[in-house]
Amino acid sequence: MQSVTEWLDSTAAEYPDKPALFDEYETLTFAEYRRKALAIARELFLRNCREKPVVVFLEKGIRIPVSFLGIAYSGNFYTPIDPEMPPARIRKILENLQPELVITEKSLKDNFAETGFDGEYLFYEDITEQETDAELISAISKDAENLLYVLYTSGSTGVPKGVGITHRSVFNYINWVTDTFQITENDSFGNQAPFYFDNSILDIYSSLKTGAALHIIPKTLFSQPVPLLEYLKEKNITTIFWVPSALIVVAKLRALKNVDVSDTLKRVLFCGEVMPNKQLNYWRQYLPHVQYANLYGPTEITDACTCFIVDRPFDDSEPLPIGKAISNVEILLLNGDKEAEKGEICVKGICLSPGYYNNPEKTAEAFVPNPMNPTETMYRTGDIGQYNTKGELLYLGRKDFQIKHRGHRIELGEIETAVSSLEGVSVCCCLYDKIQQKIVLFLEKGADEKQVETGIKKLLPDYMMPNKIIILEKMPINSNGKTDRVKLKEYLT
């Protein structure tokens, strides 16, 4: 295979009239999906757009994955930009990407024009299908080593970095996903991840390869757990791949006792941040026959590079392993330039990005020679890991979250794991105030400060006790659904 579009060709031929994509307003069959994508590819071809970045600036819905596939058919690569993204961030992305064309709608043109973009516009609603589209596009050469997409991550500095991923890396990842979780045409995905977030790759391409349906869940439902579960039941969703915060909200409000999804839901996959066992145990209590899996990996390695299928009971205070490497991926734990039992998680294999788009300096910092074999490139994640006695990898936290406090080296993630297990705690986050030299614990309203202090003393040594507890009305969440640590740092000043 040379292009992910071959999956759509095959699936549309086998299941032409099967519904493929659903959102609040539209439904497309696989045949319609392919025809619309080919029409987009024709427009790009006629505009002489070749092996270039194409921006997709659309509200979340089925028009985004259709645009992605159209761009892939044309031999170009896509970058989604969300209309709700701050204009300053969009300008930084465009400055790095230098795109010549954007796919959008007429109603959004003025919004995008405010960024200073002076290239071409392709309006989705103007695109019409023609009988010769497939024949025209078949002449475009494809290469599995070509970029499929560039997604922008903030990084620790807040400056967007464009992570480029090839067709080949997506083949490897999706083949592993669909084989491991036995995805078939009878499955249906309930999408939570924004399409500018790499978790969405699993939803889009697993359904494309197998003929499974992809339901794009309305964003508003993720703050309404009971209607959210009712949606899963009504749409017969079998598989969800969500960030833990979305699962935590369901557990916090005890929604599973109000809606029984045991007849429909088969798989609960999660990735993006730590999943506390207390909330996972709530899900497991109500849905014991569902398959649960904890995936781990940064955007630079095509969404996930390790996986742990939850196969045994865990206490609320235990950390959940991130498991073992997926197919054609190898994990190294390095302390300096030597392998260690505990160290920085480094990754090598087919999954690796070629680097940061138009940013050789940052690429050279993160994608480095493997000290065990300098002819190989590996990616330094900046995360600290350790193997347990079962040979399963544990995520301990970011390198930046390892602190020196009162003469001790402390992983802030270890404190968060302990606090998450306490009664009344739904969400927590730990930061270190370097100026005041204090460990600061943030809790969401509902937790009792005195009970938390008493509970922590039973789980952690004295030197790991938070020096300050701040209770918030609501924990800030960033656009990817993760805890917004940048926002929390404002409370330290």
Side-chain angles (χ1 to χ4, degrees), residues 8 11-12 15-23 26-34 62 65-66 185 187-189 203-204 206-208 211-216:
L8 183 51
T11 305
Y15 310 109
D17 301 320
K18 186 178 183 294
L21 295 171
F22 299 79
D23 64 18
E26 297 179 82
T27 303
L28 286 182
T29 65
F30 279 103
E32 291 168 334
Y33 189 173
R34 180 174 182 267
I62 65 177
V66 171
E185 73 278 6
D187 283 305
S188 51
F189 287 83
D203 295 337
I204 295 170
S206 296
S207 57
L208 198 70
L214 175 57
H215 293 261
I216 300 168

Side-chain angles (χ1 to χ4, degrees), residues 224-230 233 249-262 282 286-287:
Q224 306 172 64
V226 170
L228 174 61
L229 294 178
E230 288 172 342
K233 190 176 181 72
V249 171
V250 173
K252 178 184 176 183
L253 298 178
R254 308 288 177 192
L256 286 168
K257 69 180 181 182
N258 297 312
V259 185
D260 181 9
V261 292
S262 58
Y282 170 80
Y286 278 92
L287 299 170

Side-chain angles (χ1 to χ4, degrees), residues 21-71:
L21 295 171
F22 299 79
D23 64 18
E24 290 180 86
Y25 311 105
E26 297 179 82
T27 303
L28 286 182
T29 65
F30 279 103
E32 291 168 334
Y33 189 173
R34 180 174 182 267
R35 287 198 298 269
K36 195 71 178 178
L38 286 170
I40 291 171
R42 182 196 72 244
E43 290 289 341
L44 295 172
F45 177 82
L46 294 176
R47 295 177 189 223
N48 203 31
C49 192
R50 304 281 194 284
E51 296 183 19
K52 293 178 181 176
V54 177
V55 169
V56 177
F57 188 76
L58 293 166
E59 302 286 356
K60 190 177 182 184
I62 65 177
R63 296 183 173 196
I64 294 182
V66 171
S67 298
F68 290 172
L69 268 293
I71 293 164

Side-chain angles (χ1 to χ4, degrees), residues 25 41 45 50 119 145 235 237 251 280 419:
Y25 311 105
F45 177 82
R50 304 281 194 284
E145 298 301 329
K235 305 297 185 184
I237 304 296
L280 179 59
V419 173

Side-chain angles (χ1 to χ4, degrees), residues 128-139:
T128 56
E129 301 153 24
Q130 295 182 13
E131 289 183 11
T132 56
D133 287 347
E135 184 181 337
L136 182 68
I137 299 310
S138 66

